[in-house]
Amino acid sequence: MARFRPAALDWLRRYDGRTAGADGLAAVIVTIMLVPQSLAYAMLAGLPPAAGLYASILPLIAYAAFGSSRTLAVGPVAVISLMTAAATAEAAAATGIAPAAAALLLAGLSGLMLLAMAALRLGFVANFLSHPVVGGFITASGLLIALGQTGHLLGVSARGDTLPAILTALYDGLLTRGINLPTLVVGGLSLIFLFWCRKRLKPLLVKAGFGPRAADAVAKAAPAVAVLASILAVGQLDLAAAGVKVVGVLPAGLPPLTLPPLDADAVLALLGPAALISLIGFVESISVAQTLAAKRRQRISADAELVGLGAANIAASVTGGYPVTGGFARSVVNFDAGAETPMAGVFTAAGIALAALFLTPAFRDLPQAVLAATIIVAVLSLVDLKAPLRAWAYSRADGIAMAVTILGVLLAGVEAGILAGVIASLALFLRHSARPHMAVVGQVPGSEHFRNVDRHRVAVSDTVLTVRIDESLYFANARALEDRISSLVACRPSLRHVVLMCPAVNLIDLSALESLEAINRRLAEGGISFHLSEVKGPVMDRLARSHFLDELTGRVFLSQHAAMQALDPEMTRAADGLVRDAAS
Amino acid sequence: MARFRPAALDWLRRYDGRTAGADGLAAVIVTIMLVPQSLAYAMLAGLPPAAGLYASILPLIAYAAFGSSRTLAVGPVAVISLMTAAATAEAAAATGIAPAAAALLLAGLSGLMLLAMAALRLGFVANFLSHPVVGGFITASGLLIALGQTGHLLGVSARGDTLPAILTALYDGLLTRGINLPTLVVGGLSLIFLFWCRKRLKPLLVKAGFGPRAADAVAKAAPAVAVLASILAVGQLDLAAAGVKVVGVLPAGLPPLTLPPLDADAVLALLGPAALISLIGFVESISVAQTLAAKRRQRISADAELVGLGAANIAASVTGGYPVTGGFARSVVNFDAGAETPMAGVFTAAGIALAALFLTPAFRDLPQAVLAATIIVAVLSLVDLKAPLRAWAYSRADGIAMAVTILGVLLAGVEAGILAGVIASLALFLRHSARPHMAVVGQVPGSEHFRNVDRHRVAVSDTVLTVRIDESLYFANARALEDRISSLVACRPSLRHVVLMCPAVNLIDLSALESLEAINRRLAEGGISFHLSEVKGPVMDRLARSHFLDELTGRVFLSQHAAMQALDPEMTRAADGLVRDAAS
């Protein structure tokens, strides 16, 4: 941390009027998009709508000061909101803490964890959330969110953390209260309008002469239009009296200064969810940041991202917000609208603050069904049901890990699902490395290259057996090597040398060292000497610290070709010669 | 399982009088050693002494029928007895099952699990008990056993599964009951005698003209002498009245037919311990079997061992015994005494059966302190306190895993300790593979071999950068590759090609594929083409199933030398030429 230097120090020095203009324009567009989104995601998180606005003010400024991405837009996002809803509900049930207070605590804990990860250089831990796990989690939580919000469209409650829970709640709600028709009409029209904007509006605008980026930005502002139209409709037709649930009175003003409650039981209950929210938020955010940075040849620092997101979450916890991270859709809008520096985020924060000060009365009549429709449209674009099939087609292990994650999230909730996915990923990786691929190799005639005898036409020796092991040698697979060499040697009576070719061996642990010693001893008893070739530097350094090299009956060769030149010079000359003849 | 064929069918066909003589002699020696050991280990397991004798009869015959080792001697062993004591005490506390009944159930479950592992070919699971974990477990449980038995030497109870528990029990016992002096004298003299036999008797016997093997066998029979002498002393001096605890009345006769109780709660409580006992027993047993088999060029089949041990444990569960496995000390005695086939085990079983039938009255006066002394001497030879230091010197990961296991077993018990050790081993392995070693490589002049530029004098190209990654590419390390290539490319403006050399890449999972696609795309945007070289067959097969090869801006070369010939022919010709000049 001592070496840490806020990225803002770099870009602020060269900040000028032109850049401010570009950032300001982007901020206006992002603000229009973010106001309804903030209200909607707060609703999804089970919090008062104002919490969404508050989470979109100070956290943006905190990220701008410390984060390394020039264009990432932070704030409330769908999946983190879903995780917040689950975590606060569970903590409330267990300890009696109010959901809003639990959300503050969750953001504070998550912020501290992100800072701790930066200080301890633990950012690599996020890599253990593999692509299939993250992809599966997003698809499954998108489905859960969309289904949960369907309740708002129908005018019934459908809260729950798992598919069975949501379906049961939806069924019970429909059975006891029935569909509220005005709500369905308002919500259904919004949904159709928003889907139309997403799919058709942009091409239409492009045809009408807009630039593709401008068209995209206008299309992304569609929710603001739906919001305005529905507010007017509710006011004119008095739909609230007809049973259409509305946002209601929002407090006007800047975010309150809050202190997360320091309740030990609640802290304990929220530690696990906070860790998962930190990791998922970080993985999501850094993926978006890297994608955008690559387009402009900028670099992202994982440590700076951890600090930026950590600061943003702590900011959220002291200003009435809830956990935030970098969002995909809003960052793309920010980027496409021409944002050049994180100052765009500061301007956006100012825009949201103005909305919180002056626009809250306008949101009183906003139907919850419209917010639900904006959420459904946003999250369904994240759902990719064919992804597990594509993953399976590439590798069964990845397909299984993704399927486990999706089913786990749908059936047992976000935390259990992600945990199951990570465990499945690790188990499948270990299973692969525990059953290493081994190949008997021979010389590709005319080259110094050695390949698998089963796949290539190669020259082999009668007296020298070369086995290439395609895996690091460690406890889980060392015995497999012993077995394989025993059985290969057993059927080759003329054998005088065994060479273990190690270009793929990146580690020889103590268990594997014992196996190599056993192989060396057993071969020696049969009058066969044991050699190694192409041992990598770091592995060789470690072997030199043991007695193995003293006991080894054979030698360690720099290259497999050198081994064959020494152990069977005649065969090697013949194999080398083939191409020289052919070339001459 | 369909293909399984009992090994006994092979050796029985060629069985003759000479072999029977050799096996018979070995059996006599092993029987003399095994009788007191069986009583002692049953005491260690918290069971009636007769259970030890019963566990040394039918299980030996069952193993002889199915096991693949010619000389392995199965029966009760120290560490499994310790685990049995802990598991049965816990199950008794939780479900009220009697310890002896729990021990039968434990043996039955363990037997079924071993057979299931054979049927499902899951023997490889045992490989996850790495050398440091097994070594650490044995050292720590040896310490626990020795300390626990010290109570018997002092005449107080010192039961407990962890170091703190045993020390507390010992302290309380001494405080409330004090040392029993006659017990201390009998136990102390036995201990000194047994240590002396182990350290000094064999050299003396060799000097006196015994062969080294005979001397060893006689020295190993020392416990029988201590047993006889102490029985006589107790009878003559009426030590039982002086407070020396004795074995007491043993039932005379062959083992009873028993059925493990099928109590669902007890089964659930014992499933975990049974799994661990199966794995530990299997690992211990197969290590001993392989060591002995290698000396006579015999082969051990892991599947046959699973079946043999499974059958032995089921035999123990239906004849009043408790979990058994192959023991190190007794197998070495059996081997050294000249046993040639598993028939020696059958003869040993007959010897123990005779002891159970006719000798049990003689054991009535046997002091428990003498049994404790035999256990202490046996287990202290397993304790190797320097092993963690040796492991640490070779590799820190192995040292840490061993230390974690030892501390875990001592402080939290056998199961928690082994679990902690396995988790530590896996975590350290994953940490290693998540931070892969990457090297920029160049051509070793005069060869077609490419090595690390930092370790070797090699020729490099200005326009081609070759990076060798020394690890499989998977989710945990894919991002590290992206970062490394970005930073390497950033400081080389003249670069036109990047070659990723993959001889050590045994897997490219979906997450890594995405990273490679991102690298390819980013390099293309900078006008640099991306190539692969030395991609292994199975990895190439999988890449061919994705779109990556279509998108790749460069080529995939069979060898790194071929890549350089194509991408920088001038430099390659120069590097190739160096030695030809020198050689000519």
Side-chain angles (χ1 to χ4, degrees), chain A residues 121-122 124 126-132 283 286-287 290-291 294-295 297 299 387 390-396 398 402 422 425-426 429-435 437 444 446-449 451 455-456 468-472 474-480 482-483 486-487 490 503-511 513-514 522-527 534-539 541-543 545-546 557-560 580, chain B residues 121-122 124 126-132 283 286-287 290-291 294-295 297 299 387 390-396 398 402 422 425-426 429-435 437 444 446-449 451 455-456 468-472 474-480 482-483 486-487 490 503-511 513-514 522-527 534-539 541-543 545-546 557-560 580:
Chain A
R121 315 223 144 235
L122 286 177
F124 78 92
N127 294 344
F128 283 94
L129 293 173
S130 65
H131 178 86
V283 170
I286 202 161
S287 309
Q290 277 177 332
T291 304
K295 290 193 185 182
R297 306 282 191 114
R299 275 191 63 74
R390 285 201 308 276
W392 173 268
Y394 177 69
S395 99
R396 293 186 169 202
D398 285 302
M402 192 180 272
V422 169
S425 296
L426 291 177
F429 171 71
L430 289 172
R431 184 167 170 280
H432 183 275
S433 70
R435 297 175 168 185
H437 180 253
V444 177
S447 83
E448 297 183 3
H449 202 62
R451 296 300 287 248
R455 285 179 178 259
H456 300 268
R468 190 190 72 205
I469 171 147
D470 290 354
E471 199 65 59
S472 283
Y474 76 115
F475 55 88
N477 62 23
R479 223 184 284 271
E482 287 183 52
D483 289 348
S486 298
S487 62
V505 174
N506 311 306
L507 172 76
I508 295 180
D509 80 352
L510 193 62
S511 310
L513 183 68
E514 304 252 328
R522 287 178 205 155
L523 288 177
E525 284 172 2
E534 309 203 359
V535 181
K536 299 227 191 72
V539 176
D541 290 349
R542 188 172 284 180
L543 284 183
R545 268 184 273 157
S546 74
F557 295 97
L558 189 66
S559 75
Q560 176 57 28
R580 296 211 182 122
Chain B
R121 316 224 145 233
L122 285 177
F124 78 93
N127 294 345
F128 284 94
L129 294 173
S130 65
H131 179 87
V283 169
I286 202 163
S287 310
Q290 277 177 332
T291 305
K295 290 192 187 186
R297 303 283 192 111
R299 273 189 65 73
R390 284 201 308 275
W392 173 269
Y394 177 69
S395 100
R396 293 187 170 202
D398 285 302
M402 192 179 273
V422 169
S425 295
L426 291 177
F429 171 71
L430 289 171
R431 183 167 170 279
H432 183 275
S433 70
R435 298 174 168 185
H437 180 253
V444 177
S447 84
E448 297 182 2
H449 201 63
R451 296 300 287 248
R455 286 179 177 260
H456 299 268
R468 190 191 72 208
I469 173 147
D470 291 354
E471 200 65 60
S472 283
Y474 77 113
F475 56 87
N477 62 24
R479 221 184 284 274
E482 288 183 53
D483 289 349
S486 298
S487 62
V505 175
N506 311 306
L507 172 76
I508 294 180
D509 79 353
L510 193 62
S511 310
L513 183 69
E514 303 253 328
R522 287 178 205 155
L523 289 176
E525 283 171 4
E534 309 201 1
V535 181
K536 300 226 191 71
V539 176
D541 289 347
R542 186 172 285 181
L543 285 182
R545 267 184 272 157
S546 74
F557 295 96
L558 189 66
S559 75
Q560 176 58 26
R580 293 204 187 130

Side-chain angles (χ1 to χ4, degrees), chain B residues 384-438:
Chain B
D384 183 357
L385 289 175
K386 284 188 190 152
L389 297 178
R390 284 201 308 275
W392 173 269
Y394 177 69
S395 100
R396 293 187 170 202
D398 285 302
I400 292 170
M402 192 179 273
V404 164
T405 311
I406 291 179
L407 291 177
V409 170
L410 288 180
L411 300 178
V414 167
E415 287 174 42
I418 290 176
L419 198 65
V422 169
I423 290 173
S425 295
L426 291 177
L428 290 163
F429 171 71
L430 289 171
R431 183 167 170 279
H432 183 275
S433 70
R435 298 174 168 185
H437 180 253
M438 285 179 251

Side-chain angles (χ1 to χ4, degrees), chain A residues 215-229:
Chain A
D216 201 50
V218 171
K220 287 258 165 67
V225 176
V227 162
L228 280 178

Side-chain angles (χ1 to χ4, degrees), chain A residues 306-345:
Chain A
L306 285 168
V307 175
L309 291 177
N313 275 293
I314 288 174
S317 81
V318 297
T319 56
Y322 72 100
V324 295
T325 194
F328 180 70
R330 80 188 56 155
S331 298
V332 171
V333 169
N334 193 39
F335 183 93
D336 284 345
E340 292 193 5
T341 75
M343 191 57 90

Side-chain angles (χ1 to χ4, degrees), chain B residues 306-337:
Chain B
L306 286 168
V307 175
L309 292 176
N313 275 293
I314 289 175
S317 81
V318 296
T319 56
Y322 72 99
V324 295
T325 192
F328 181 69
R330 79 188 57 156
S331 298
V332 172
V333 169
N334 193 38
F335 183 92
D336 285 344

